[in-house]
Amino acid sequence: MPSYTLICPPLETSPHIARDFVATVLRTLELDRTLVDDAILCTSELVTNACVHAKGGDGTVLWLAVEEGRLRVVVYDGDENPPVIRELTTPEPDERGGGRGLYLVDALTAGRWGHGPDIPYGGQPHPEGKAVWFDLPAEPVADLPVRRPASP
């Protein structure tokens, strides 16, 4: 099972860097374009939420694993408060223009997301607080040939 880890400092650029990281990994693994696009959007929402709501601390840790039939992304942050899906009864998003991200995650993953105080990922250290994760169905990853640079 290939897995990848990105440590994101508590900076406003972290969601963009996390999107690029996930896109690069999944495209390199030659996964389906729709899967890649959905994973990028869901990752962006979770990392953005961590940056907005888990103020201070050491930032976030993003862990991505591709297993047979599944892609899992976990975002750890230092805030113990669980994520909350806001009611869609109000016509306007909150003053920052947000408030709908977890609805997107829920829709794109068909409800395969959640949170907990500690979701282990390969025995690597992660911030105290919570983990928020999502799963997307993925075709099994074939062993990709090792790409070596051409000789000069």
Side-chain angles (χ1 to χ4, degrees):
M1 161 181 70
S3 66
Y4 306 85
T5 305
L6 176 69
I7 298 172
C8 303
L11 301 172
E12 63 185 42
T13 56
S14 287
H16 179 78
I17 293 166
R19 285 191 301 270
D20 286 350
F21 173 78
V22 168
T24 299
V25 168
L26 298 182
R27 287 178 183 143
T28 300
L29 293 174
E30 299 177 353
L31 295 179
D32 176 74
R33 183 177 181 173
T34 300
L35 169 69
V36 173
D37 291 345
D38 290 350
I40 291 168
L41 181 55
C42 291
T43 297
S44 182
E45 294 300 335
L46 296 189
V47 174
T48 298
N49 283 350
C51 289
V52 169
H53 300 293
K55 301 288 186 191
D58 296 330
T60 62
V61 175
L62 183 148
W63 178 73
L64 178 152
V66 181
E67 303 171 330
E68 189 169 321
R70 175 179 82 173
L71 162 70
R72 171 165 281 185
V73 174
V74 182
V75 175
Y76 295 89
D77 66 46
D79 183 5
E80 294 180 1
N81 296 312
V84 176
I85 294 182
R86 296 184 189 162
E87 293 294 322
L88 288 179
T89 56
T90 59
E92 297 295 322
D94 73 13
E95 64 277 357
R96 293 180 308 270
R100 308 291 197 256
L102 290 177
Y103 279 103
L104 290 172
V105 172
D106 190 60
L108 290 171
T109 65
R112 291 183 305 266
W113 72 279
H115 62 87
D118 184 29
I119 298 171
Y121 71 107
Q124 301 297 317
H126 57 80
E128 295 295 322
K130 71 175 173 301
V132 183
W133 59 270
F134 68 85
D135 289 339
L136 289 169
E139 294 298 317
V141 178
D143 290 332
L144 296 175
V146 175
R147 296 181 181 144
R148 295 191 167 92
S151 299

